[in-house]
Amino acid sequence: MTLTTFKQLYQEYQESGLNIKDFCANQCLAPSTF
């Protein structure tokens, strides 16, 4: 994952209002990756 990709994902996470576990499940990511 590039820094740009992570920044985009992190912004989406902040706007989602979800916790990390739920956000990662929605994005098909492992929480440890995030």
Side-chain angles (χ1 to χ4, degrees):
M1 180 181 303
T2 65
L3 183 59
T4 304
T5 305
F6 177 76
K7 284 181 179 180
Q8 227 173 359
L9 266 179
Y10 190 73
Q11 184 174 357
E12 289 176 28
Y13 159 68
Q14 288 184 314
E15 293 171 357
S16 73
L18 298 171
N19 63 34
I20 290 176
K21 181 180 174 186
D22 291 341
F23 178 77
C24 289
N26 288 344
Q27 297 293 325
C28 299
L29 291 172
S32 60
T33 302
F34 190 71

